[in-house]
Amino acid sequence: MLLNPNLPGRVFPPVGSYLVGRGKVREFTHSVFTTNPIRINPVAVRAAGHADVVTPPTFAAVMVEPAVGQLFRNPDTGLDPGRVVHGSQSVVYHRDIVAGDELTTDLTIASVTERGTHVIITTSSGIRDSHGHPLSVSAFRACAACRVLAQGT
């Protein structure tokens, strides 16, 4: 499998908009076994000074997946999802995501590094609210079993 050599620096179109609903926050909260009252109890939320229920930090993955998915669903990238292994992920949060937020997510290919018959792909995804303010930035690194197609071939 040959990877498109023009991937580094490529910016994919933003995906969204995703309206964060209380029910989705509650479902996700229960699925990750979180019991913090600001995630499920509107009274506790108001007492803590939040506008609505606050998502668990890992809820950001719900918004990032469609953006990162563009990398795998777009045939001109040269990536076969069956040959990709998740390497690492880190997230920097600028503020909590709360029910009622309307979010979009972007994706940029930060780098592609060859290592023998594999490549390491690093992406950056930013989640923004409806006013364009950043909520989080996620760095994702994956290893793919493929080679970079030489320029001009």
Side-chain angles (χ1 to χ4, degrees):
M1 166 142 252
L2 297 174
L3 189 70
N4 183 332
N6 299 316
L7 280 181
R10 182 170 178 183
V11 178
F12 287 83
V15 294
S17 88
Y18 181 91
L19 180 61
V20 179
R22 266 190 199 165
K24 289 294 180 186
V25 174
R26 186 173 294 114
E27 289 169 4
F28 192 88
T29 296
H30 289 300
S31 76
V32 295
F33 304 102
T34 300
T35 58
N36 188 328
I38 66 166
R39 312 227 186 272
I40 53 177
N41 183 332
V43 174
V45 167
R46 283 188 282 288
H50 296 285
D52 210 325
V53 290
V54 178
T55 67
T58 51
F59 188 84
V62 172
M63 276 72 66
V64 170
E65 187 283 324
V68 172
Q70 294 180 97
L71 179 62
F72 300 112
R73 287 188 293 274
N74 193 322
D76 81 335
T77 63
L79 276 176
D80 174 0
R83 299 175 62 92
V84 175
V85 177
H86 182 272
S88 65
Q89 191 165 352
S90 63
V91 182
V92 174
Y93 294 94
H94 299 288
R95 79 160 173 86
D96 291 320
I97 297 171
V98 299
D101 278 336
E102 191 168 341
L103 308 174
T104 58
T105 307
D106 59 41
L107 175 73
T108 301
I109 308 303
S111 67
V112 175
T113 308
E114 279 193 87
R115 297 279 192 260
T117 60
H118 294 77
V119 295
I120 307 297
I121 302 165
T122 304
T123 66
S124 175
S125 297
I127 298 175
R128 297 183 178 279
D129 65 17
S130 59
H131 304 289
H133 300 123
L135 276 69
S136 73
V137 176
S138 175
F140 170 79
R141 184 168 291 125
C143 179
C146 60
R147 305 274 322 206
V148 175
L149 179 66
Q151 292 280 359
T153 60

